[in-house]
Amino acid sequence: MASGVKPRVKVPSSASAGDVVTIKTLISHPMESGQRKDGDGNLIPRSIINRFTCDFNGQNVVDVVMAPSISTNPYFEFEATVPEAGEFKFTWYDDDGDVYEEVKPISV
Amino acid sequence: MDFTRRETLAMGGAAVVTALLPLRAFAQADPDAEMVGTPDEFLAGASAGEGDLTLTAPEIAENGNTVPIAFDAPGAVEVRIFALGNPTPGVGTFRFGPLAGSRTASTRIRLAGTQDVQAIAKMEDGSYITAMKTVKVTIGGCGG
């Protein structure tokens, strides 16, 4: 696995039912594009997170497919509807097969 | 040399399979192209018109490694972002689920140099709309 991968997510702790909340996510990851060369001129192989999803109580909010053109430490900001109390589940899928997960509860 | 009807059919079938093989192999070898691809692949022959799609990107980006972009596409089911001057133009595909609060998102992307960034949104009725922004990049973001 890529070293030092740490997801950070900002979700309000509470909301009213039916509210739209803004969610910010950041995950530290080098997102090696596969285009760079090392000191000896060899290509550094691609190693990125290729997919990010956010679900609330099992229902999808957003599903993002990422290409190497997404920056280092991929950052996403988007909005979600909160119909009831529950938890947001954030999932990142790494090229090397690793899956990073983060869960944030929200009360209504 | 005479062929029966059955032999002719079998040969025709084999020829079709052989012709399709390289195409399939290519699709598997490059999952990115399949997932985000190019604008033409996404549109698949349809044309994208102007519409209620806002793409926000800086006019000048000093550092191509991290260029903030955002889009707002009310009524879209899927939005794809393309950096037309990058080695692989596909940047990302955003699909919105039933609990999406709006059809907006922002992220940070890499740009190899000064180029056009294009967003294409697929709407609920299956039509496409597009928006384009030119970003001037001072230092490219592909390690060249």
Side-chain angles (χ1 to χ4, degrees):
Chain A
M1 99 175 233
S3 60
V5 175
K6 185 172 183 295
R8 279 181 223 117
V9 174
K10 203 168 171 188
V11 176
S13 55
S14 69
S16 311
D19 263 8
V20 171
V21 298
T22 300
I23 296 176
K24 296 178 183 181
T25 72
L26 183 75
I27 185 164
S28 48
H29 191 285
M31 295 290 279
E32 195 57 65
S33 68
Q35 304 282 347
R36 294 199 313 146
K37 293 188 168 116
D38 64 15
D40 303 325
N42 303 314
L43 270 186
I44 305 171
R46 170 186 140 154
S47 169
I48 67 166
I49 294 176
N50 55 45
R51 186 166 171 232
F52 163 71
T53 62
C54 169
D55 297 279
F56 182 75
N57 290 354
Q59 277 199 288
N60 184 248
V61 176
V62 70
D63 183 338
V64 185
V65 177
M66 293 187 236
S69 297
I70 297 280
S71 292
T72 304
N73 304 337
Y75 163 84
F76 292 106
E77 181 178 336
F78 52 92
E79 293 182 321
T81 308
V82 181
E84 73 235 346
E87 47 181 41
F88 282 103
K89 187 174 172 202
F90 304 91
T91 317
W92 292 263
Y93 300 85
D94 198 310
D95 265 355
D96 61 17
D98 280 332
V99 175
Y100 318 110
E101 285 182 344
E102 179 86 355
V103 170
K104 286 278 178 185
I106 186 165
S107 58
V108 172
Chain B
M1 204 171 162
D2 282 341
F3 291 113
T4 63
R5 181 173 170 274
R6 186 170 295 179
E7 279 168 350
T8 315
L9 279 176
M11 278 168 54
V16 167
V17 169
T18 317
L20 286 176
L21 270 175
L23 206 67
R24 297 190 69 116
F26 174 75
Q28 279 164 0
D30 197 353
D32 272 341
E34 205 170 56
M35 296 308 272
V36 187
T38 63
D40 287 343
E41 280 168 18
F42 182 41
L43 291 171
S47 62
E50 299 278 306
D52 197 5
L53 167 63
T54 317
L55 175 67
T56 312
E59 221 164 274
I60 297 176
E62 279 184 19
N63 182 356
N65 272 312
T66 167
V67 181
I69 60 151
F71 64 81
D72 183 8
V77 289
E78 180 174 338
V79 177
R80 294 194 189 196
I81 308 290
F82 302 97
L84 302 178
N86 274 6
T88 49
V91 173
T93 301
F94 295 77
R95 293 190 183 92
F96 294 99
L99 285 183
S102 62
R103 312 299 167 154
T104 64
S106 54
T107 184
R108 296 174 190 149
I109 66 172
R110 289 182 178 133
L111 296 175
T114 299
Q115 59 180 284
D116 291 331
V117 176
Q118 185 178 20
I120 303 178
K122 187 178 185 182
M123 312 306 284
E124 273 149 10
D125 62 5
S127 65
Y128 296 91
I129 56 174
T130 181
M132 185 112 66
K133 271 268 167 126
T134 304
V135 181
K136 287 198 173 81
V137 176
T138 319
I139 302 170
C142 281

